[in-house]
Amino acid sequence: GQSLEQPSEVTAVEGAIVQINCTYQTSGFYGLSWYQQHDGGAPTFLSYNGLDGLEETGRFSSFLSRSDSYGYLLLQELQMKDSASYFCAVSLFSGDSGGYQKVTFGTGTKLQVIP
Amino acid sequence: EAQVTQNPRYLITVTGKKLTVTCSQNMNHEYMSWYRQDPGLGLRQIYYSMNVEVTDKGDVPEGYKVSRKEKRNFPLILESPSPNQTSLYFCASSLMFSTLGGELFFGEGSRLTVL
């Protein structure tokens, strides 16, 4: 089966940098995504890595190493509004319908930003 | 406005009473999916659909049915709900995934309680 591991909770200071790691064990790996979810809200997309390396989007960056089955989300210049849960998700090849559309999420990392 | 719309947002029902949660998207997305979210378990995929009349099981399909007769709609059917299906449900859609990525757009969620 598939498994994704990420820390359950992280606390960081406003203005600092925090890294949330995600390791995965899957078959048919296609890409790694990151989503943010505030309490009571829906998940919103942050980034996607289909190839090894770093993707940067403003204060957020995401990294993927396929050989290590590992990725991370880097949040810089933390703001109080960044307090939320962050989920990594893997896109997988699925043979049932000949496509690659299965998306499995990790259990999420709750980030608390403190003053 | 581009959106994914779920209904109902909140529902309390009783064991065995069939119910349908509707999901509609106005972005002409091929891919649609259902997730359930439970504390400590993250988002778990129930079913997904790559296009009209093409559906596949996710990680937790037992007790659920779906249909994709139109591109925009992807209803989730609970034929005989049980208390263990009490959860927060999210519908999501996306353009076809590719090496360039695949952003999932989520609906606002449907909180279901089965007594």
Side-chain angles (χ1 to χ4, degrees):
Chain A
Q2 297 100 24
S3 69
L4 290 88
E5 289 192 15
Q6 52 181 129
S8 58
E9 293 182 355
V10 172
T11 300
V13 178
E14 189 177 15
I17 299 172
V18 70
Q19 178 173 314
I20 300 174
N21 298 322
C22 175
T23 58
Y24 57 88
Q25 285 187 309
T26 65
S27 57
F29 176 85
Y30 200 74
L32 183 71
S33 302
W34 290 91
Y35 289 81
Q36 178 191 61
Q37 185 181 31
H38 287 99
D39 285 346
T44 56
F45 174 82
L46 292 176
S47 69
Y48 175 83
N49 293 76
L51 303 171
D52 283 359
L54 191 69
E55 293 285 339
E56 297 179 84
T57 308
R59 293 189 297 115
F60 295 177
S61 303
S62 58
F63 173 82
L64 173 65
S65 169
R66 287 172 172 264
S67 59
D68 295 323
S69 297
Y70 163 77
Y72 66 72
L73 178 69
L74 191 73
L75 295 81
Q76 303 181 72
E77 302 173 14
L78 280 173
Q79 302 175 8
M80 299 300 291
K81 68 178 182 180
D82 296 330
S83 293
S85 292
Y86 292 84
F87 295 88
C88 60
V90 291
S91 301
L92 305 171
F93 284 97
S94 169
D96 293 351
S97 58
Y100 42 84
Q101 303 294 339
K102 188 172 180 179
V103 180
T104 297
F105 280 76
T107 54
T109 298
K110 191 171 181 66
L111 171 64
Q112 182 181 15
V113 179
I114 58 177
Chain B
E1 179 188 354
Q3 58 185 3
V4 178
T5 304
Q6 299 178 222
N7 279 296
R9 295 287 314 282
Y10 302 91
L11 180 64
I12 300 175
T13 189
V14 295
T15 299
K17 185 176 181 181
K18 180 180 178 180
L19 68 92
T20 299
V21 186
T22 63
C23 174
S24 181
Q25 51 92 6
N26 62 1
M27 295 170 280
N28 202 34
H29 285 167
E30 291 93 350
Y31 181 85
M32 297 187 74
S33 180
W34 277 101
Y35 293 86
R36 61 176 289 174
Q37 185 172 31
D38 304 288
L41 298 178
L43 290 147
R44 293 182 292 168
Q45 191 173 44
I46 303 171
Y47 270 95
Y48 64 95
S49 169
M50 288 171 59
N51 214 324
V52 175
E53 302 294 359
V54 181
T55 63
D56 258 324
K57 296 177 181 178
D59 295 315
V60 288
E62 295 79 17
Y64 304 95
K65 287 176 58 177
V66 292
S67 69
R68 188 88 183 273
K69 293 183 170 57
E70 303 167 286
K71 197 173 187 178
R72 63 181 292 126
N73 296 323
F74 190 46
L76 179 69
I77 303 158
L78 286 74
E79 293 273 2
S80 183
S82 62
N84 64 13
Q85 292 179 297
T86 292
S87 187
L88 177 60
Y89 291 86
F90 286 101
C91 179
S93 73
S94 177
L95 290 171
M96 289 289 284
F97 285 86
S98 71
T99 53
L100 298 178
E103 175 180 354
L104 280 170
F105 292 83
F106 282 83
E108 293 184 337
S110 296
R111 187 166 291 282
L112 170 66
T113 301
V114 183
L115 302 175

